[in-house]
């Protein structure tokens, strides 16, 4: 898991070629546009290797259910608002079936933070994370989730 300011995104080049593709796209897009100009829905970057899902989301109170992925990393950026997130390395118990590229577990957070104001968080495959947590003064966000295929 990496949490940092968007202005430092280039520091993470070289970790994986698909992450580099995502960084290239976001950097080039940001030069010509504001990231909040990304359209709702899916934006293709490099087929199934890198794509962006922009969504409007109502935030919910903190819960103990965290998600994880096997193939994709999630690079999350709030375009409006600032949602809370949680992260843990505690395995917990499976909560339902793993479908597509998402599974859920019941685990307590070990670390938490807030997006918005030019920050991003990057969750790698297998890392338990909880997006969409309401924070005081913020119950709704517009966010971009850049899906980065990490499985070769």
């Amino acid at each position: 898991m990496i949490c940092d300011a968007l202005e430092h995104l280039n520091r993470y080049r070289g970790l994986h070629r698909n992450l580099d593709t995502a960084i290239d796209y976001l950097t080039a897009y940001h030069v010509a546009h504001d990231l909040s100009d990304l359209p709702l829905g899916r934006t293709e970057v490099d087929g199934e290797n890198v794509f962006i899902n922009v969504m409007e989301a109502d935030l919910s109170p903190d819960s103990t259910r965290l998600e994880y992925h096997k193939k994709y990393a999630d690079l999350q950026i709030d375009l409006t608002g600032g949602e809370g997130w949680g992260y843990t390395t505690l395995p917990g118990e499976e909560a339902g079936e793993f479908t597509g590229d998402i599974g859920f577990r019941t685990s307590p957070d070990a670390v938490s933070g807030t997006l918005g104001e030019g920050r991003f968080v990057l969750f790698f495959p297998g890392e338990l994370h909880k997006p969409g947590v309401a924070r005081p003064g913020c119950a709704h966000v517009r966010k971009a989730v850049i899906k980065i295929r990490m499985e070769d």
Side-chain angles (χ1 to χ4, degrees):
M1 185 268 306
I2 296 171
C3 184
D4 203 342
L6 279 170
E7 65 189 64
H8 301 148
L9 190 56
N10 281 311
R11 291 179 178 174
Y12 304 101
R13 286 185 183 280
L15 293 178
H16 192 280
R17 69 182 178 283
N18 291 339
L19 177 57
D20 291 351
T21 299
I23 292 170
D24 290 343
Y25 183 87
L26 291 170
T27 302
Y29 191 90
H30 189 64
V31 168
H33 310 279
D34 188 284
L35 288 177
S36 63
D37 293 338
L38 285 165
L40 282 173
R42 183 173 167 140
T43 298
E44 296 290 330
V45 176
D46 183 20
E48 293 301 310
N49 290 321
V50 180
F51 57 93
I52 302 171
N53 287 325
V54 175
M55 64 200 78
E56 301 269 348
D58 290 324
L59 305 178
S60 61
D62 202 23
S63 72
T64 58
R65 193 169 101 151
L66 288 94
E67 66 182 58
Y68 67 100
H69 311 285
K70 292 181 179 177
K71 297 178 183 176
Y72 288 90
D74 280 0
L75 178 77
Q76 301 190 10
I77 303 167
D78 283 349
L79 304 174
T80 63
E83 72 186 291
W85 55 266
Y87 169 83
T88 189
T89 57
L90 301 172
E93 299 292 325
E94 287 290 333
E97 290 187 37
F98 190 92
T99 57
D101 190 41
I102 190 167
F104 298 94
R105 290 183 173 265
T106 56
S107 302
D109 293 358
V111 176
S112 63
T114 302
L115 286 177
E117 299 182 10
R119 289 184 293 274
F120 73 90
V121 64
L122 175 63
F123 299 109
F124 292 97
E127 293 184 329
L128 293 170
H129 60 283
K130 177 179 19 180
V133 179
R135 291 291 188 221
C138 186
H140 185 83
V141 295
R142 179 180 171 102
K143 69 184 291 184
V145 178
I146 298 85
K147 302 295 287 184
I148 303 162
R149 186 178 182 99
M150 302 297 281
E151 181 185 78
D152 291 327

